[in-house]
Amino acid sequence: MSLSSEQILQQWHAARLAPLWNSPNAHKPPPGPVPSHLWRWNDMRPLIELAFQETSPQAVQRRVLQMLSPTAKSLSDEHTCGNVLAAYQCLLPGETARPHRHTMNALRFMLEGSGVITLVDGKECPMEFGDLVLTPGMTWHEHRHDGSEPVVWLDVLDVPLHMYMGSVVFQPGPIAEPPVTMPDAAFAYANVAPQVTLGRTDHSPVFRYPYANVVGALRHAPKSADGVRRVRYINPLNGQGALALLEASMMQIDADTASLPMRSNANLVVAVVEGEGESQVGDQCIRWSARDVFTVPQHNWASHRAFGQDARLFVVSDADAMQRLNLLREELGAAASVEKDNTK
């Protein structure tokens, strides 16, 4: 007696087998691009203020508000855009965030305030507006606020990738013995580096990238094919990206100019540093100003326009992870598409 299709499926499923031809993923076109999302600073800052009254770093390790993608199915689906997780972290004067380390790579980009110091493997890294501070995987890091006003910075981590790979490791302090590090001054001169590097060499020996240096580099950067000036944060030991798996760069859109559209399979988180303008991401037109954060999910055509003055945008993506897997694809378009949906 022959079995029915349903009986056959039941036997396969009982044996933990599944026919590929019934898969919702195989041999089917991929879904369309995920829409962009905007976290407007004027709306976010009052919500960040509520975090100051709600808890303290002493109680919860870090006072952090994660920025979750609208496609996240639950609070455990921790991603902002693809393999990238972004968050706001904030401290009040006199507060500290005790040391810990983890396998996830992280960076800190200063948005508001001054007087805070991040210690990375014991090295002090002051954080002023627009500064970038790296905390590569398994480096000890802690925060100390010696200033007189609240501070807020953008955290960006590769948490989603590590969760998928099963490589998440977390270790709390205290630090038994501070690791050996190199002074940033050893790498302060362009095209010259010390022959001997002390400490770990599997990540950048430089942890702090001052905003003023980046602005200076942008002044001399030629325009890319899409019309935007870009500089890349690099590891001075090898010229590769400053942080493994996460690509960090700064782009400048000259005043009253627009870029050609570009499309990539990398996922981008973009923080507006200075200026005002708009970005066409897929069918959405996003108006932005300083300290706004928005996403450019993979496969979306994206173009940018600056209003009135030069605009600078800090960009973090999973392009480095894609590149290491030989999967990164980028494409340049022609004229920017017509705006369809204005995001207020």
Side-chain angles (χ1 to χ4, degrees), residues 71-111:
T71 63
K73 297 179 176 61
S74 71
L75 294 179
S76 63
D77 193 3
E78 299 180 40
H79 76 278
T80 305
C81 189
N83 298 305
V84 184
L85 173 65
Y88 297 111
Q89 185 168 170
C90 48
L91 284 178
L92 290 172
E95 289 185 333
T96 60
R98 54 189 181 271
H100 67 213
R101 64 179 180 176
H102 39 67
T103 46
M104 291 78 75
N105 296 290
L107 59 82
R108 329 288 172 179
F109 188 83
M110 196 66 174
L111 294 176

Short mmCIF file of all heavy atoms in Angstrom, two decimals, residues 71-111:
data_model
loop_
_atom_site.label_atom_id
_atom_site.label_comp_id
_atom_site.label_asym_id
_atom_site.label_seq_id
_atom_site.Cartn_x
_atom_site.Cartn_y
_atom_site.Cartn_z
N THR A 71 11.96 46.06 11.37
CA THR A 71 11.73 44.67 10.98
C THR A 71 12.04 43.70 12.12
O THR A 71 11.81 42.50 11.97
CB THR A 71 12.57 44.29 9.76
OG1 THR A 71 13.97 44.38 10.09
CG2 THR A 71 12.29 45.22 8.59
N ALA A 72 12.57 44.20 13.24
CA ALA A 72 12.86 43.32 14.38
C ALA A 72 11.56 42.70 14.88
O ALA A 72 10.56 43.40 15.09
CB ALA A 72 13.55 44.11 15.49
N LYS A 73 11.57 41.40 15.10
CA LYS A 73 10.36 40.69 15.50
C LYS A 73 10.14 40.75 17.00
O LYS A 73 9.03 40.55 17.49
CB LYS A 73 10.42 39.24 15.02
CG LYS A 73 10.45 39.11 13.50
CD LYS A 73 10.53 37.65 13.09
CE LYS A 73 10.47 37.52 11.56
NZ LYS A 73 11.57 38.21 10.89
N SER A 74 11.20 40.95 17.78
CA SER A 74 11.09 41.05 19.22
C SER A 74 12.30 41.80 19.75
O SER A 74 13.23 42.14 19.00
CB SER A 74 11.02 39.65 19.87
OG SER A 74 12.28 39.01 19.79
N LEU A 75 12.32 42.07 21.06
CA LEU A 75 13.45 42.77 21.66
C LEU A 75 14.73 41.95 21.61
O LEU A 75 15.82 42.50 21.74
CB LEU A 75 13.12 43.12 23.12
CG LEU A 75 11.99 44.14 23.32
CD1 LEU A 75 11.75 44.37 24.81
CD2 LEU A 75 12.31 45.46 22.63
N SER A 76 14.61 40.63 21.41
CA SER A 76 15.80 39.80 21.30
C SER A 76 16.40 39.82 19.90
O SER A 76 17.51 39.32 19.68
CB SER A 76 15.48 38.35 21.69
OG SER A 76 14.52 37.79 20.79
N ASP A 77 15.69 40.41 18.96
CA ASP A 77 16.19 40.54 17.59
C ASP A 77 16.98 41.83 17.50
O ASP A 77 16.50 42.85 17.00
CB ASP A 77 15.00 40.53 16.62
CG ASP A 77 15.43 40.35 15.18
OD1 ASP A 77 16.64 40.17 14.94
OD2 ASP A 77 14.55 40.40 14.30
N GLU A 78 18.22 41.79 18.00
CA GLU A 78 19.00 43.00 18.23
C GLU A 78 19.80 43.39 16.99
O GLU A 78 20.96 43.02 16.85
CB GLU A 78 19.92 42.81 19.44
CG GLU A 78 19.17 42.52 20.73
CD GLU A 78 20.11 42.33 21.90
OE1 GLU A 78 21.11 43.06 22.00
OE2 GLU A 78 19.86 41.43 22.71
N HIS A 79 19.16 44.12 16.11
CA HIS A 79 19.89 44.68 14.98
C HIS A 79 19.24 45.99 14.56
O HIS A 79 18.03 46.17 14.71
CB HIS A 79 19.96 43.69 13.81
CG HIS A 79 18.67 43.57 13.03
ND1 HIS A 79 17.61 42.78 13.43
CD2 HIS A 79 18.28 44.16 11.87
CE1 HIS A 79 16.64 42.87 12.55
NE2 HIS A 79 17.01 43.71 11.59
N THR A 80 20.07 46.89 14.07
CA THR A 80 19.60 48.17 13.56
C THR A 80 19.47 48.13 12.05
O THR A 80 18.51 48.62 11.48
CB THR A 80 20.58 49.29 13.96
OG1 THR A 80 20.74 49.28 15.38
CG2 THR A 80 20.06 50.66 13.52
N CYS A 81 20.46 47.49 11.42
CA CYS A 81 20.46 47.36 9.96
C CYS A 81 21.36 46.18 9.59
O CYS A 81 22.58 46.28 9.68
CB CYS A 81 20.96 48.65 9.32
SG CYS A 81 20.78 48.72 7.52
N GLY A 82 20.75 45.07 9.23
CA GLY A 82 21.53 43.90 8.85
C GLY A 82 22.41 43.40 9.97
O GLY A 82 21.93 43.07 11.06
N ASN A 83 23.71 43.36 9.73
CA ASN A 83 24.67 42.85 10.71
C ASN A 83 25.18 43.93 11.65
O ASN A 83 26.18 43.72 12.35
CB ASN A 83 25.87 42.22 9.98
CG ASN A 83 25.47 41.03 9.14
OD1 ASN A 83 24.87 40.09 9.64
ND2 ASN A 83 25.78 41.08 7.85
N VAL A 84 24.52 45.07 11.67
CA VAL A 84 24.99 46.22 12.45
C VAL A 84 23.96 46.58 13.51
O VAL A 84 22.77 46.70 13.23
CB VAL A 84 25.24 47.44 11.53
CG1 VAL A 84 25.82 48.59 12.33
CG2 VAL A 84 26.16 47.07 10.37
N LEU A 85 24.44 46.75 14.75
CA LEU A 85 23.60 47.22 15.85
C LEU A 85 24.12 48.58 16.30
O LEU A 85 25.31 48.73 16.59
CB LEU A 85 23.64 46.25 17.03
CG LEU A 85 22.93 46.72 18.30
CD1 LEU A 85 21.43 46.86 18.08
CD2 LEU A 85 23.21 45.78 19.47
N ALA A 86 23.24 49.56 16.38
CA ALA A 86 23.59 50.90 16.87
C ALA A 86 22.78 51.20 18.12
O ALA A 86 21.71 50.63 18.34
CB ALA A 86 23.35 51.95 15.79
N ALA A 87 23.31 52.10 18.94
CA ALA A 87 22.64 52.45 20.20
C ALA A 87 23.13 53.81 20.67
O ALA A 87 24.20 54.28 20.27
CB ALA A 87 22.92 51.39 21.26
N TYR A 88 22.33 54.43 21.52
CA TYR A 88 22.76 55.63 22.23
C TYR A 88 23.27 55.20 23.60
O TYR A 88 22.62 54.42 24.30
CB TYR A 88 21.60 56.60 22.44
CG TYR A 88 20.98 57.16 21.18
CD1 TYR A 88 19.69 56.79 20.80
CD2 TYR A 88 21.67 58.07 20.38
CE1 TYR A 88 19.10 57.32 19.67
CE2 TYR A 88 21.09 58.59 19.24
CZ TYR A 88 19.80 58.21 18.88
OH TYR A 88 19.22 58.73 17.75
N GLN A 89 24.43 55.72 24.00
CA GLN A 89 24.91 55.52 25.36
C GLN A 89 25.12 56.90 25.99
O GLN A 89 25.55 57.84 25.31
CB GLN A 89 26.22 54.73 25.41
CG GLN A 89 26.64 54.41 26.83
CD GLN A 89 27.76 53.39 26.96
OE1 GLN A 89 28.31 53.20 28.04
NE2 GLN A 89 28.11 52.72 25.86
N CYS A 90 24.79 57.03 27.28
CA CYS A 90 24.84 58.35 27.90
C CYS A 90 25.32 58.25 29.34
O CYS A 90 25.10 57.25 30.03
CB CYS A 90 23.47 59.01 27.84
SG CYS A 90 22.09 57.97 28.36
N LEU A 91 26.00 59.31 29.77
CA LEU A 91 26.52 59.39 31.14
C LEU A 91 26.24 60.78 31.69
O LEU A 91 26.24 61.78 30.96
CB LEU A 91 28.03 59.15 31.18
CG LEU A 91 28.56 57.73 31.04
CD1 LEU A 91 30.08 57.75 31.05
CD2 LEU A 91 28.03 56.82 32.14
N LEU A 92 26.05 60.85 33.00
CA LEU A 92 25.96 62.11 33.71
C LEU A 92 27.31 62.44 34.34
O LEU A 92 28.14 61.54 34.55
CB LEU A 92 24.89 62.01 34.80
CG LEU A 92 23.43 61.93 34.33
CD1 LEU A 92 22.52 61.64 35.51
CD2 LEU A 92 23.02 63.22 33.62
N PRO A 93 27.56 63.71 34.65
CA PRO A 93 28.84 64.07 35.28
C PRO A 93 29.08 63.24 36.55
O PRO A 93 28.18 63.02 37.36
CB PRO A 93 28.64 65.55 35.61
CG PRO A 93 27.65 66.04 34.61
CD PRO A 93 26.72 64.89 34.38
N GLY A 94 30.34 62.78 36.65
CA GLY A 94 30.73 62.01 37.82
C GLY A 94 30.46 60.52 37.71
O GLY A 94 30.94 59.74 38.55
N GLU A 95 29.74 60.10 36.69
CA GLU A 95 29.43 58.68 36.56
C GLU A 95 30.56 57.91 35.88
O GLU A 95 31.36 58.48 35.13
CB GLU A 95 28.14 58.48 35.75
CG GLU A 95 26.89 58.89 36.48
CD GLU A 95 25.63 58.57 35.71
OE1 GLU A 95 25.69 58.51 34.47
OE2 GLU A 95 24.58 58.38 36.35
N THR A 96 30.60 56.62 36.15
CA THR A 96 31.54 55.72 35.49
C THR A 96 30.78 54.48 35.03
O THR A 96 29.73 54.14 35.58
CB THR A 96 32.66 55.28 36.44
OG1 THR A 96 32.10 54.59 37.56
CG2 THR A 96 33.48 56.47 36.92
N ALA A 97 31.31 53.84 34.01
CA ALA A 97 30.80 52.54 33.56
C ALA A 97 31.94 51.55 33.69
O ALA A 97 32.98 51.70 33.06
CB ALA A 97 30.31 52.62 32.11
N ARG A 98 31.77 50.56 34.57
CA ARG A 98 32.87 49.68 34.96
C ARG A 98 33.39 48.85 33.79
O ARG A 98 32.68 48.63 32.80
CB ARG A 98 32.44 48.78 36.11
CG ARG A 98 31.19 47.95 35.89
CD ARG A 98 30.78 47.28 37.19
NE ARG A 98 29.59 46.46 37.07
CZ ARG A 98 28.35 46.89 37.24
NH1 ARG A 98 28.15 48.18 37.49
NH2 ARG A 98 27.32 46.07 37.14
N PRO A 99 34.63 48.36 33.89
CA PRO A 99 35.26 47.68 32.75
C PRO A 99 34.65 46.31 32.45
O PRO A 99 34.21 45.59 33.35
CB PRO A 99 36.72 47.55 33.19
CG PRO A 99 36.67 47.56 34.68
CD PRO A 99 35.55 48.47 35.04
N HIS A 100 34.62 46.01 31.18
CA HIS A 100 34.32 44.65 30.72
C HIS A 100 34.91 44.51 29.31
O HIS A 100 35.44 45.46 28.74
CB HIS A 100 32.82 44.35 30.76
CG HIS A 100 31.97 45.14 29.79
ND1 HIS A 100 30.69 45.54 30.07
CD2 HIS A 100 32.21 45.60 28.53
CE1 HIS A 100 30.16 46.18 29.05
NE2 HIS A 100 31.08 46.24 28.11
N ARG A 101 34.82 43.31 28.78
CA ARG A 101 35.26 43.07 27.41
C ARG A 101 34.42 41.95 26.81
O ARG A 101 33.80 41.16 27.52
CB ARG A 101 36.76 42.75 27.34
CG ARG A 101 37.19 41.46 28.02
CD ARG A 101 38.69 41.26 27.84
NE ARG A 101 39.17 40.03 28.47
CZ ARG A 101 40.42 39.59 28.39
NH1 ARG A 101 41.34 40.29 27.69
NH2 ARG A 101 40.79 38.47 28.99
N HIS A 102 34.41 41.90 25.47
CA HIS A 102 33.61 40.90 24.77
C HIS A 102 34.17 40.71 23.37
O HIS A 102 34.96 41.53 22.87
CB HIS A 102 32.14 41.33 24.71
CG HIS A 102 31.92 42.79 24.47
ND1 HIS A 102 32.24 43.41 23.29
CD2 HIS A 102 31.42 43.76 25.29
CE1 HIS A 102 31.93 44.69 23.37
NE2 HIS A 102 31.43 44.94 24.58
N THR A 103 33.74 39.63 22.73
CA THR A 103 34.24 39.32 21.39
C THR A 103 33.71 40.30 20.34
O THR A 103 34.33 40.48 19.29
CB THR A 103 33.85 37.90 20.99
OG1 THR A 103 32.46 37.69 21.31
CG2 THR A 103 34.69 36.87 21.72
N MET A 104 32.57 40.92 20.61
CA MET A 104 32.00 41.85 19.64
C MET A 104 32.88 43.09 19.50
O MET A 104 33.34 43.64 20.50
CB MET A 104 30.60 42.27 20.05
CG MET A 104 29.57 41.15 19.95
SD MET A 104 29.67 39.98 21.33
CE MET A 104 28.94 40.93 22.64
N ASN A 105 33.13 43.50 18.26
CA ASN A 105 33.82 44.76 18.01
C ASN A 105 32.83 45.90 18.23
O ASN A 105 31.64 45.79 17.92
CB ASN A 105 34.32 44.81 16.57
CG ASN A 105 35.36 43.76 16.28
OD1 ASN A 105 36.48 43.83 16.77
ND2 ASN A 105 35.00 42.76 15.49
N ALA A 106 33.34 47.01 18.74
CA ALA A 106 32.47 48.16 19.00
C ALA A 106 33.22 49.45 18.72
O ALA A 106 34.46 49.51 18.80
CB ALA A 106 31.97 48.16 20.45
N LEU A 107 32.47 50.48 18.37
CA LEU A 107 33.04 51.82 18.23
C LEU A 107 32.11 52.81 18.89
O LEU A 107 30.92 52.57 19.06
CB LEU A 107 33.31 52.16 16.76
CG LEU A 107 32.15 52.16 15.77
CD1 LEU A 107 31.34 53.44 15.81
CD2 LEU A 107 32.67 51.93 14.35
N ARG A 108 32.69 53.95 19.27
CA ARG A 108 31.95 55.03 19.93
C ARG A 108 32.16 56.32 19.14
O ARG A 108 33.30 56.69 18.87
CB ARG A 108 32.45 55.24 21.36
CG ARG A 108 32.97 53.99 22.05
CD ARG A 108 31.89 53.03 22.43
NE ARG A 108 32.44 51.76 22.92
CZ ARG A 108 31.69 50.76 23.32
NH1 ARG A 108 30.38 50.88 23.33
NH2 ARG A 108 32.24 49.62 23.73
N PHE A 109 31.05 56.95 18.76
CA PHE A 109 31.12 58.21 18.01
C PHE A 109 30.39 59.28 18.80
O PHE A 109 29.19 59.18 19.04
CB PHE A 109 30.51 58.04 16.62
CG PHE A 109 30.74 59.23 15.74
CD1 PHE A 109 31.93 59.38 15.05
CD2 PHE A 109 29.77 60.21 15.60
CE1 PHE A 109 32.15 60.49 14.25
CE2 PHE A 109 29.97 61.31 14.81
CZ PHE A 109 31.17 61.46 14.12
N MET A 110 31.13 60.32 19.19
CA MET A 110 30.60 61.32 20.13
C MET A 110 29.59 62.24 19.46
O MET A 110 29.87 62.86 18.41
CB MET A 110 31.77 62.14 20.69
CG MET A 110 31.43 62.93 21.92
SD MET A 110 31.03 61.85 23.30
CE MET A 110 30.87 63.05 24.61
N LEU A 111 28.41 62.37 20.09
CA LEU A 111 27.34 63.20 19.55
C LEU A 111 27.12 64.48 20.34
O LEU A 111 26.82 65.53 19.75
CB LEU A 111 26.02 62.40 19.53
CG LEU A 111 25.95 61.20 18.60
CD1 LEU A 111 24.62 60.48 18.78
CD2 LEU A 111 26.14 61.61 17.15
#
